[in-house]
């Protein structure tokens, strides 16, 4: 009887454990490709009334980068600060409108948020234009989501 009770207890214990391996980092990143970038680039997230968050610091000759997106905001805003070899600094603001779609792998794991880019706008001090290349932002990046053309890109 003790053996049967012990086996039943072991079986219940094993059945109670899940084997789902939750992702440690479930942040979905937006891939940005920059055509004709400046010599140095800084990117900050503008958080409306709160302190800006530096996302990318002193990138040298950067032509692509990944930016995190918010989970609940309908629009994310980023400040791009370009610096050329002569030391001239130019700043632009990029606004990305999007939808937020929660994705659940398991009740044991926190959700991931996928996004669909719906519109994009920017100031035009150094940035010439911005194009949505791939509107689906998921954890499987196949191509750049945004293409940023600068005044130095030779359109």
């Amino acid at each position: 009887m003790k053996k049967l009770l012990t086996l039943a207890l072991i079986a219940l214990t094993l059945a109670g454990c899940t084997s789902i391996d939750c992702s440690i980092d479930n942040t979905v990143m937006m891939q940005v490709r920059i055509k004709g970038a400046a010599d140095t680039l800084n990117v900050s997230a503008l958080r409306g009334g709160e302190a800006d968050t530096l996302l990318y610091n002193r990138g040298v000759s950067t032509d692509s980068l990944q930016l995190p997106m918010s989970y609940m905001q309908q629009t994310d805003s980023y400040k791009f600060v370009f610096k050329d070899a002569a030391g001239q600094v130019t700043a632009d603001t990029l606004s990305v409108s999007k939808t937020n779609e929660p994705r659940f792998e398991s009740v044991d794991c926190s959700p991931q948020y996928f996004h669909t880019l719906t519109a994009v706008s920017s100031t035009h001090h150094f940035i010439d234009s911005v194009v949505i290349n791939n509107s689906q932002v998921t954890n499987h990046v196949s191509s750049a989501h945004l293409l940023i053309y600068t005044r130095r890109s030779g359109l």
Side-chain angles (χ1 to χ4, degrees):
M1 186 66 164
K2 278 188 168 184
K3 285 184 181 183
L4 183 59
L5 185 58
T6 303
L7 287 174
L9 186 59
I10 290 173
L12 287 174
T13 302
L14 291 176
C17 296
T18 64
S19 62
I20 295 173
D21 190 17
C22 296
S23 175
I24 293 173
D25 182 18
N26 64 356
T27 304
V28 174
M29 304 290 264
M30 177 176 60
Q31 181 74 30
V32 177
R33 177 79 35 124
I34 302 171
K35 306 285 187 169
D39 295 322
T40 305
L41 173 65
N42 292 341
V43 181
S44 299
L46 304 177
R47 301 184 333 148
E50 297 181 33
D52 297 346
T53 301
L54 184 63
L55 302 174
Y56 193 76
N57 191 24
R58 296 182 188 167
V60 178
S61 300
T62 302
D63 65 351
S64 68
L65 61 137
Q66 294 182 339
L67 298 175
M69 303 187 81
S70 66
Y71 300 145
M72 296 297 163
Q73 300 296 327
Q74 297 301 315
T75 301
D76 288 342
S77 296
Y78 304 93
K79 181 178 180 181
F80 284 71
V81 179
F82 302 93
K83 184 177 180 182
D84 64 15
Q88 182 178 356
V89 176
T90 309
D92 276 305
T93 301
L94 176 75
S95 295
V96 179
S97 298
K98 61 187 175 52
T99 62
N100 303 304
E101 302 132 18
R103 302 285 186 192
F104 296 95
E105 288 183 28
S106 166
V107 294
D108 296 333
C109 303
S110 60
Q112 287 185 322
Y113 281 85
F114 291 176
H115 309 282
T116 299
L117 306 181
T118 57
V120 64
S121 64
S122 72
T123 57
H124 298 288
H125 303 289
F126 193 77
I127 293 176
D128 185 66
S129 60
V130 182
V131 176
I132 297 175
N133 184 53
N134 177 5
S135 64
Q136 300 302 313
V137 182
T138 66
N139 55 358
H140 300 290
V141 179
S142 59
S143 62
H145 300 104
L146 293 182
L147 301 176
I148 297 177
Y149 294 93
T150 67
R151 299 200 183 277
R152 292 176 56 187
S153 63
L155 292 171

